[in-house]
Amino acid sequence: MHDDTANSPASAATPPAGARHVRRGVRTLGPARHTRSQSATPVDSPAGPSAIGRRSTVSAGDALHCPICGVMAPSLAALNMHLDDGHFGSGAGGGSGEAGVGRKMTAAAQDDLEEVKGAILGFFRGAGRAVKGLGGGGGSDGGGSSPVTAAEDGSDDWWQGGRARQPGRPQKAAAAEGASRRHTAVFERLRASHLAGALLEGNRAEKRLEKLARAHAQYPAGPALQAAEKLIVSWQPDSAAQCSTCNRSLTRLLARRHHCRVCGMLVCGQPTCSSMLTLPLPLDGNHTAVQFSTDRTAEVRACSRCLGLVGRVQMRVRRMRALEQGPGELLGVYGEAREAMRVADRVLPVFNALVLQITRGSGVEPVLVARAARLRSQLTDAFGRVDVASRRIAAGPAESPGDARVRSAIRSAMVQYLQLHMFSLTMLPRKDTPSKKSKNNQGTVLPKRVEDMSVTGDTESQAGDTRSVGTPVSENLSVSSEPPGSSSTGLARSLLSYIVPRRVAETTAAAADDEDIRRALASDPEKELRIAGMALDEKLATLEVLRDQRQRVLGYIAEAQRDRRLEDAYTLQGSLRDLDVELSLIERNL
Amino acid sequence: MDAIKAVQHYINRIVSDTSGMKVLLLDNETTSIISLVSTQSFLLSKETYLVDRIDNRSRDEMRHLKCVCFLRPTDSSIQALLDELRSPKYGDYYIYFSNILKKSMIELLAENDESEVVREIQEFYADFYATTPFLFHMGLTPSVHPLFAEGHSWNPGALARTVQGLGALMLSLKKRPNIRYERNSAMALKLGQELEYIMDHESNLFGAKAGDKKMHLLIVDRKNDPVTPLLTQWTYHALLNDLIGIHNGRMDLSYMPDVRPEIKEVMISQDQDTFFKQSQYLNFGDLGMSIKEFVDTYQSKTQSHHQIESISDMKRFVETYPEFRKLSGNVTKHVTLVGELSRIVSQNHLLEVSELEQSLACNEQHNNDLKTLRAMISNSKFLPENKVRCVILYALRYERTQGNATSELKQLLASNGIDADQVAMIDVVLRYAGASERQSDIFQNENLFSRGRNIFKGLQGVENVYTQHSPAIADMLEDLLRGRQGIHWQERLPNLDPKARPPTLGNESGMFNQDIIVFVVGGVTMEEELAVAKLNAKFESQNVRLMIGGTSIHTSASFLSELSTTFFP
């Protein structure tokens, strides 16, 4: 009965690491009271002279006996532990038969086992990670967990992240890279071993509370209740006459004696030493009930240490729950914005390279211009989404002043981003006379584009942390391929807020774009053929881009007319016509 | 060998290693360390949306933020971190410490992380203040962190901080230096020993002791050159530091009567500000020219911007607009700063003061100097502190000259209504760095040989009367780099480790392929940084790189106030 892992750490079957956790955990159960790990030896060992807790002077003459089975225990805590583990549920339940005891006990033991197993597993996982880090990094400050999670990501540039975090090789690393040292593995190991103990204690306290609640539900206040309480935890004899927390001597009158109902120790009534803990009572007063009521409660006295234990467990639970809920709205919108930024970061270099090629070249290759225009529209869409999302974040309801600060900081970060990156949008394919550039020009573009893509991909995943698998940001995201029609005009308006004159440039840019398309179409006698030669999805994509552009041009026209810039409006009308022509061409070919 | 880059590297990793929305928690020292080399917009671009102090108890709970902490491993910071871990306000925690952690600290953190929120604990050695690429300090501000215990001995706290800071600097540069110290300085020796102990103790971090060193740490003591911090400096950066005051790269201009709101507080950083980068070492005269050119370029750009007639003009405008806007802000800032400097200079008659200072520092003309000094003291247009400064310089130079009139000058100061406390500073400085305390003959007036050299120097004529003085450290470094007087310097600047090979410093042909860090116990000055910058340029061909640092960066006021706490007679 007493040889489950939690109770007998010395049992040879447990792996050494686990044994250490458990022993440590048990010892911390009463650091002041039982300075020796002896207290954790199986309860039926005789109370030898070695068990010299501070308390053992009290029980030196008459050893403690379990009130149920009469087994001797070396100390009070050991006895209480024996009550927990050996007679779980039986005392409080009163009428419950012995048959139930065994079952429940094994369940409890199982729980504890699970706990210990978890701790052991955690330790090994941590250690494994550390080992892996060492192997990957080849130095004391290796990549740690990063290679593992990065590999899960499936990205093949994880080793670069590893290298960035691995400055241990002076001959290879740049001189600017300073040394660093990682303690995460050591820390995790220490934490795991500490937590194994703390959790064990906390769970024990929780279980005792559950039993107490049952007893309180069953008996009215009085001697019967007290007897039931004493069955759950054995009380320290009054003769100790000393508060276990502040060591004050206790009398019957002046400093009244109390017993902590969770650990059974004597405490005084000072609020720093003990206070009342509110227990929700089981609904039906029955033993098997899991439901606890919120209106029927009982108060029990608990010493400050036990209160702390219970509080910590409850805090953990609360925190887990809070993390699961998450703030939803903010993260979602933020994720959208980041995704749009990622898209823009990927497209922008390609676009820039293309523009560079077009402007550098003596003439304009219509295909290139068209592609630039398409990329441009993708970019404006992405920037528009960033803008809209950051506005939504800034306007969203702030839960606290800190939250408000975060929201406005996000907004300014994104404005900063837009100001920095929207610039190259003004770099346009110029209206030059289209000259016949050889086809291999296009051939050089494509690999270049691929190259650019991969380069940006690299830098991005390097900058982004590969460890944060499953951050809320990357979770609830999907690339929205459907550009919202209003975004471009929204963007135009947002542009206004940054730099007033930019609007004009933007308008002319669009106009120039469209004109290029028109020229491209006009100068190409085989436009029908070209369109007919496109694959279906390509046609659809082009169609989408064109529609988006049309929407945009419409917006510009309205704006131009409102501002009485009739010349601009006239040019834009022309572009609109061309767009319509193109659109109808494609639609006809579908 | 770039102090700023060394810190920036760490900061970049702190905010980039973790992606997602995050808050950055700092303590009071790391706040300053980071703000010297980083900007708000950089942090924002790395998704760091909130920067707060770890000891701020009224932070709001925001579980959706990740928390990145960068802290010095001090008791107070650890305590604040423990409080945070016991009731975590944010999601995951990534904790970086600026120096070596004790085992007990890791244990303490592990025991208090019951919610299992900590994901990372690392040491990133950005534990010094990088002011320019060649200049760093330990942030031992005289009023807050006393340097001396009593007389020429370390305050234990200051010593610990300095050892940590220098250790971190070595780690950030990944160098284990050969340490040399000034023989007459107990403080320099003590610092060297402590540092060597740490490097031996943590030899897996610092690397084993190697025979042939490429890096030298020269620990010198301010008391061997008390003159440099007493002189008025004339370079742009030094003027700003002395006359207006730079605190962690920021200057507070709100005291000016009609200052525009956007420049009430300005940043001074050579990283973001090209004009400052170009002109930080210019002296006051050249600065005037430089700022005029700067304004002219700006105006020509403005003109072109005002002529927006066609759409292509507009486009050009838009393309250059952010650059233009930045420029316009910068022009306003520097014009304001230079204007303010020139107001202070003329109001306090600093040019006249400086002329006398330089004469006292460089030339042996007792009677002349005394006459000028007397006239100055009785003239009420000069500030009391400037008068006191000149008398101190006089007392230092002519301490052993026959006909020394220091006591007469003290009486004269007192009779001109100057505080007894201020007058007492003359004796304070003499106690700290009088002739008996110094090992080098900085005035070159103590023996016949050096007097001869001094006269020879005087014959060469001077380029600029306000910048004749060159700090003792510059002369020392130049000698070492050129390979002159090898024996002499080994005598004065011995190796800490007697077994170390006589350094290549003694080589006749000079030094090649070496890095040298000079550390001034008692505070470094901007003039010395300027000298190091010049030497770096001069000896580039020998592949020698220099850096200088100190316990703090001194202006003459902070230098005197540091001494006044300890060396009061």
Side-chain angles (χ1 to χ4, degrees):
Chain A
M1 280 295 128
H2 315 300
D3 58 355
D4 67 79
T5 346
N7 205 13
S8 71
S11 92
T14 36
R20 208 174 61 225
H21 292 180
V22 174
R23 195 179 300 137
R24 189 187 156 89
V26 171
R27 186 169 43 209
T28 46
L29 187 66
R33 295 163 216 173
H34 318 284
T35 45
R36 332 233 26 241
S37 58
Q38 219 80 7
S39 60
T41 50
V43 281
D44 45 1
S45 73
S50 57
I52 328 171
R54 182 159 57 78
R55 208 73 50 201
S56 62
T57 46
V58 178
S59 53
D62 49 340
L64 293 161
H65 292 274
C66 172
I68 297 166
C69 63
V71 154
M72 282 207 307
S75 72
L76 192 66
L79 175 62
N80 281 334
M81 220 177 307
H82 162 78
L83 278 169
D84 275 333
D85 299 330
H87 307 285
F88 179 75
S90 63
S96 66
E98 281 297 309
V101 178
R103 194 169 45 78
K104 278 183 187 164
M105 195 265 339
T106 40
Q110 209 100 51
D111 272 2
D112 282 355
L113 255 178
E114 284 304 306
E115 211 65 67
V116 174
K117 233 195 282 178
I120 295 167
L121 272 180
F123 165 70
F124 277 116
R125 231 173 280 140
R129 222 174 300 156
V131 169
K132 224 173 264 180
L134 283 179
S140 61
D141 45 0
S145 62
S146 58
V148 184
T149 43
E152 280 164 16
D153 265 359
S155 60
D156 52 358
D157 53 356
W158 60 268
W159 60 271
Q160 278 188 313
R163 192 183 52 181
R165 281 185 209 109
Q166 201 333 83
R169 273 172 273 175
Q171 68 272 38
K172 271 198 175 179
E177 217 165 274
S180 66
R181 181 160 62 174
R182 171 177 266 215
H183 291 295
T184 317
V186 178
F187 173 83
E188 278 172 354
R189 201 170 61 230
L190 287 170
R191 181 175 65 188
S193 70
H194 171 77
L195 276 181
L199 277 181
L200 215 61
E201 276 185 279
N203 284 2
R204 220 183 271 286
E206 286 267 285
K207 270 174 214 146
R208 285 182 190 162
L209 283 177
E210 207 178 304
K211 288 195 269 183
L212 278 172
R214 294 221 176 94
H216 276 262
Q218 198 170 10
Y219 304 106
L225 178 64
Q226 208 173 65
E229 283 179 338
K230 282 183 183 173
L231 273 180
I232 295 165
V233 281
S234 195
W235 284 9
Q236 193 184 5
D238 285 355
S239 52
Q242 222 178 10
C243 170
S244 64
T245 307
C246 65
N247 289 346
R248 215 154 63 109
S249 63
L250 302 172
T251 61
R252 196 168 283 277
L253 290 172
L254 279 172
R256 232 188 103 78
R257 283 191 291 261
H258 296 282
H259 279 97
C260 170
R261 301 299 197 270
V262 184
C263 65
M265 288 293 172
L266 266 176
V267 278
C268 67
Q270 280 180 336
T272 47
C273 292
S274 73
S275 50
M276 301 309 280
L277 181 67
T278 310
L279 274 181
L281 296 183
L283 269 182
D284 54 356
N286 210 339
H287 2 283
T288 48
V290 206
Q291 294 275 306
F292 286 90
S293 107
T294 43
D295 45 341
R296 272 192 71 207
T297 56
E299 300 236 299
V300 294
R301 187 165 291 276
C303 69
S304 54
R305 225 185 75 81
C306 292
L307 276 176
L309 279 177
V310 174
R312 280 201 306 233
V313 171
Q314 282 171 351
M315 200 192 74
R316 267 176 74 88
V317 171
R318 265 206 311 277
R319 190 177 158 79
M320 297 284 182
R321 226 167 276 154
L323 277 180
E324 273 160 27
Q325 284 166 2
E329 171 261 340
L330 175 62
L331 282 184
V333 181
Y334 183 74
E336 279 167 35
R338 291 298 294 184
E339 184 55 37
M341 280 158 94
R342 228 162 282 152
V343 169
D345 285 344
R346 208 167 46 232
V347 176
L348 202 60
V350 187
F351 176 74
N352 287 347
L354 209 55
V355 166
L356 206 66
Q357 196 187 10
I358 290 167
T359 46
R360 212 195 284 134
S362 53
V364 175
E365 184 79 11
V367 188
L368 294 185
V369 174
R371 186 184 297 136
R374 205 159 58 228
L375 290 176
R376 200 169 160 284
S377 126
Q378 273 181 33
L379 281 175
T380 34
D381 170 50
F383 289 142
R385 279 191 287 150
V386 171
D387 185 51
V388 169
S390 69
R391 269 162 202 278
R392 267 175 67 197
I393 289 171
E399 286 155 17
S400 58
D403 193 31
R405 269 168 71 198
V406 168
R407 283 168 185 274
S408 76
I410 292 175
R411 168 72 181 149
S412 43
M414 302 224 166
V415 167
Q416 189 182 302
Y417 172 85
L418 289 174
Q419 282 176 336
L420 202 71
H421 290 82
M422 277 181 65
F423 239 52
S424 49
L425 280 193
T426 56
M427 296 198 301
L428 288 169
R430 297 238 157 63
K431 279 193 296 170
D432 287 332
T433 45
S435 75
K436 281 279 178 282
K437 276 262 164 180
S438 57
K439 282 285 180 210
N440 60 8
N441 195 355
Q442 194 189 348
T444 55
V445 182
L446 270 171
K448 183 165 190 180
R449 172 170 155 187
V450 171
E451 205 176 87
D452 275 334
M453 292 276 229
S454 64
V455 165
T456 45
D458 276 359
T459 45
E460 196 173 75
S461 48
Q462 239 180 324
D465 189 9
T466 40
R467 265 171 304 154
S468 58
V469 184
T471 49
V473 178
S474 54
E475 251 172 15
N476 39 18
L477 266 187
S478 58
V479 187
S480 67
S481 50
E482 203 66 38
S486 61
S487 77
S488 47
T489 44
L491 175 76
R493 218 156 282 139
S494 77
L495 272 168
L496 276 176
S497 62
Y498 308 143
I499 310 159
V500 182
R502 186 197 268 270
R503 185 189 53 204
V504 182
E506 189 69 12
T507 319
T508 47
D513 246 10
D514 301 333
E515 224 161 298
D516 281 331
I517 290 164
R518 180 168 53 98
R519 274 168 172 276
L521 283 169
S523 67
D524 196 344
E526 304 144 278
K527 57 188 170 188
E528 288 261 6
L529 269 177
R530 180 170 62 80
I531 292 167
M534 286 197 289
L536 183 63
D537 53 341
E538 203 177 333
K539 270 185 220 163
L540 283 173
T542 323
L543 201 61
E544 200 174 88
V545 171
L546 285 175
R547 279 185 184 144
D548 181 43
Q549 275 190 338
R550 186 169 185 277
Q551 200 69 30
R552 208 150 41 97
V553 172
L554 278 175
Y556 291 142
I557 292 176
E559 217 168 86
Q561 276 172 343
R562 200 178 54 231
D563 298 354
R564 314 298 297 162
R565 285 180 289 112
L566 297 176
E567 256 171 272
D568 284 358
Y570 179 73
T571 338
L572 287 165
Q573 292 282 9
S575 310
L576 191 65
R577 269 197 304 279
D578 296 333
L579 274 172
D580 286 341
V581 169
E582 176 92 341
L583 272 168
S584 64
L585 261 176
I586 297 179
E587 271 161 2
R588 211 172 26 189
N589 267 292
L590 268 175
Chain B
M1 283 285 279
D2 184 327
I4 289 191
K5 285 218 174 70
V7 178
Q8 277 172 343
H9 162 71
Y10 286 124
I11 295 170
N12 187 30
R13 284 191 58 193
I14 288 169
V15 293
S16 319
D17 276 9
T18 311
S19 71
M21 269 188 251
K22 53 187 167 278
V23 51
L24 177 62
L25 291 185
L26 303 168
D27 61 27
N28 57 348
E29 282 210 52
T30 52
T31 308
S32 307
I33 289 170
I34 285 193
S35 63
L36 263 177
V37 300
S38 192
T39 60
Q40 186 74 26
S41 50
F42 171 76
L43 294 178
L44 279 179
S45 75
K46 299 286 183 189
E47 303 181 79
T48 310
Y49 297 122
L50 202 58
V51 180
D52 214 325
R53 291 275 293 265
I54 185 100
D55 49 1
N56 176 7
R57 293 189 166 272
S58 57
R59 279 176 279 114
D60 293 311
E61 190 166 306
M62 277 175 280
R63 289 272 156 81
H64 51 286
L65 292 184
K66 290 180 183 170
C67 177
V68 182
C69 303
F70 181 54
L71 307 169
R72 291 203 71 227
T74 59
D75 288 345
S76 57
S77 294
I78 294 272
Q79 193 51 50
L81 181 60
L82 291 181
D83 290 345
E84 177 67 32
L85 289 182
R86 275 191 217 111
S87 52
K89 293 192 173 62
Y90 313 103
D92 294 343
Y93 284 71
Y94 302 83
I95 302 168
Y96 303 97
F97 286 101
S98 69
N99 219 312
I100 296 168
L101 278 171
K102 288 192 203 109
K103 185 89 197 308
S104 60
M105 288 172 171
I106 304 176
E107 278 167 12
L108 205 57
L109 289 172
E111 276 165 26
N112 283 279
D113 180 24
E114 292 196 340
S115 321
E116 292 182 275
V117 290
V118 176
R119 296 279 163 274
E120 192 81 50
I121 291 192
Q122 287 202 57
E123 292 169 3
F124 278 2
Y125 308 102
D127 206 15
F128 49 91
Y129 298 77
T131 307
T132 74
F134 315 125
L135 181 65
F136 64 92
H137 65 102
M138 298 302 158
L140 295 169
T141 324
S143 50
V144 192
H145 308 280
L147 181 64
F148 305 104
E150 46 183 85
H152 287 286
S153 66
W154 281 96
N155 175 304
L159 176 62
R161 176 68 185 92
T162 308
V163 171
Q164 285 167 1
L166 275 177
L169 177 71
M170 296 307 157
L171 286 172
S172 74
L173 300 172
K174 283 202 178 149
K175 291 279 162 59
R176 176 160 182 173
N178 170 44
I179 301 176
R180 300 177 73 178
Y181 67 100
E182 280 195 311
R183 192 182 283 284
N184 74 334
S185 166
M187 288 174 84
L189 174 64
K190 179 84 181 153
L191 174 59
Q193 284 168 338
E194 292 290 319
L195 187 60
E196 190 71 42
Y197 174 78
I198 292 275
M199 293 194 299
D200 279 342
H201 193 69
E202 296 279 351
S203 57
N204 54 342
L205 269 181
F206 286 91
K209 227 185 272 187
D212 191 28
K213 292 292 183 199
K214 291 281 179 223
M215 156 88 89
H216 302 271
L217 173 66
L218 314 183
I219 305 176
V220 300
D221 196 324
R222 182 81 273 161
K223 72 175 179 179
N224 283 322
D225 177 14
V227 175
T228 308
L230 290 170
L231 301 175
T232 305
Q233 305 301 312
W234 289 105
T235 62
Y236 190 29
H237 197 176
L239 277 170
L240 291 176
N241 192 37
D242 286 2
L243 302 184
I244 302 178
I246 305 176
H247 303 288
N248 298 324
R250 284 176 174 72
M251 303 178 67
D252 181 15
L253 300 181
S254 54
Y255 72 94
M256 286 163 64
D258 47 356
V259 69
R260 288 210 233 158
E262 71 266 23
I263 52 170
K264 276 217 162 102
E265 196 194 51
V266 296
M267 285 262 301
I268 271 294
S269 133
Q270 48 172 323
D271 233 21
Q272 340 264 295
D273 183 339
T274 39
F275 176 77
F276 182 66
K277 187 175 181 165
Q278 285 159 11
S279 50
Q280 58 171 329
Y281 296 131
L282 289 183
N283 71 39
F284 195 56
D286 299 334
L287 184 65
M289 291 299 292
S290 174
I291 193 115
K292 188 178 172 308
E293 274 169 31
F294 189 41
V295 172
D296 284 347
T297 9
Y298 168 70
Q299 271 175 345
S300 70
K301 278 193 184 170
T302 326
Q303 293 238 296
S304 72
H305 276 104
H306 281 176
Q307 296 163 345
I308 296 174
E309 282 157 2
S310 63
I311 286 181
S312 63
D313 281 344
M314 188 70 89
K315 211 174 101 194
R316 205 185 54 236
F317 173 81
V318 170
E319 274 165 9
T320 50
Y321 187 76
E323 196 57 32
F324 174 74
R325 212 168 45 163
K326 218 165 102 186
L327 187 68
S328 117
N330 223 5
V331 169
T332 323
K333 177 172 95 183
H334 286 294
V335 168
T336 313
L337 288 177
V338 174
E340 176 66 6
L341 288 182
S342 93
R343 184 189 70 80
I344 298 176
V345 166
S346 64
Q347 180 184 310
N348 299 341
H349 309 279
L350 286 183
L351 284 170
E352 287 162 72
V353 175
S354 177
E355 198 177 337
L356 177 60
E357 282 170 10
Q358 295 285 334
S359 163
L360 285 166
C362 304
N363 304 313
E364 189 86 2
Q365 305 168 321
H366 182 238
N367 291 337
N368 248 345
D369 286 343
L370 189 59
K371 211 168 82 190
T372 327
L373 205 48
R374 282 196 187 117
M376 184 184 168
I377 292 170
S378 1
N379 192 334
S380 61
K381 78 176 182 183
F382 295 107
L383 287 180
E385 57 260 34
N386 290 337
K387 294 177 186 172
V388 172
R389 224 145 38 90
C390 288
V391 177
I392 294 174
L393 285 168
Y394 170 89
L396 284 170
R397 170 172 277 275
Y398 300 113
E399 192 179 355
R400 293 191 174 160
T401 307
Q402 280 191 340
N404 177 313
T406 309
S407 53
E408 177 214 319
L409 289 172
K410 279 196 272 191
Q411 277 166 13
L412 194 60
L413 282 173
S415 64
N416 274 279
I418 287 168
D419 275 0
D421 276 2
Q422 276 189 297
V423 177
M425 283 315 296
I426 297 154
D427 292 326
V428 167
V429 177
L430 283 178
R431 275 167 64 93
Y432 171 67
S436 57
E437 286 289 347
R438 299 193 301 264
Q439 80 172 349
S440 57
D441 180 11
I442 42 171
F443 296 111
Q444 295 172 336
N445 59 359
E446 280 176 20
N447 61 44
L448 201 65
F449 174 70
S450 60
R451 257 184 230 182
R453 253 179 71 164
N454 194 12
I455 287 164
F456 177 70
K457 224 163 106 184
L459 289 177
Q460 283 177 321
V462 284
E463 235 175 77
N464 184 334
V465 73
Y466 304 109
T467 56
Q468 309 170 55
H469 179 257
S470 112
I473 286 170
D475 299 340
M476 173 186 89
L477 285 172
E478 183 140 11
D479 276 356
L480 293 176
L481 293 175
R482 283 188 189 287
R484 283 196 304 233
Q485 301 180 341
I487 312 289
H488 171 65
W489 282 109
Q490 275 174 46
E491 188 58 36
R492 270 170 59 180
L493 204 64
N495 279 316
L496 184 74
D497 179 7
K499 290 196 291 293
R501 241 173 44 185
T504 34
L505 296 188
N507 197 325
E508 280 301 309
S509 55
M511 272 175 94
F512 290 88
N513 309 321
Q514 308 266 341
D515 290 341
I516 302 180
I517 295 178
V518 182
F519 187 80
V520 189
V521 173
V524 67
T525 64
M526 302 300 284
E527 189 183 354
E528 282 154 340
E529 192 246 352
L530 171 68
V532 164
K534 280 181 180 162
L535 287 171
N536 262 327
K538 197 168 169 183
F539 289 95
E540 209 180 2
S541 57
Q542 292 182 358
N543 194 16
V544 178
R545 295 178 298 178
L546 300 168
M547 201 191 259
I548 194 165
T551 43
S552 60
I553 294 182
H554 271 324
T555 64
S556 50
S558 69
F559 174 60
L560 291 178
S561 93
E562 179 153 277
L563 296 185
S564 68
T565 53
T566 307
F567 290 90
F568 229 79

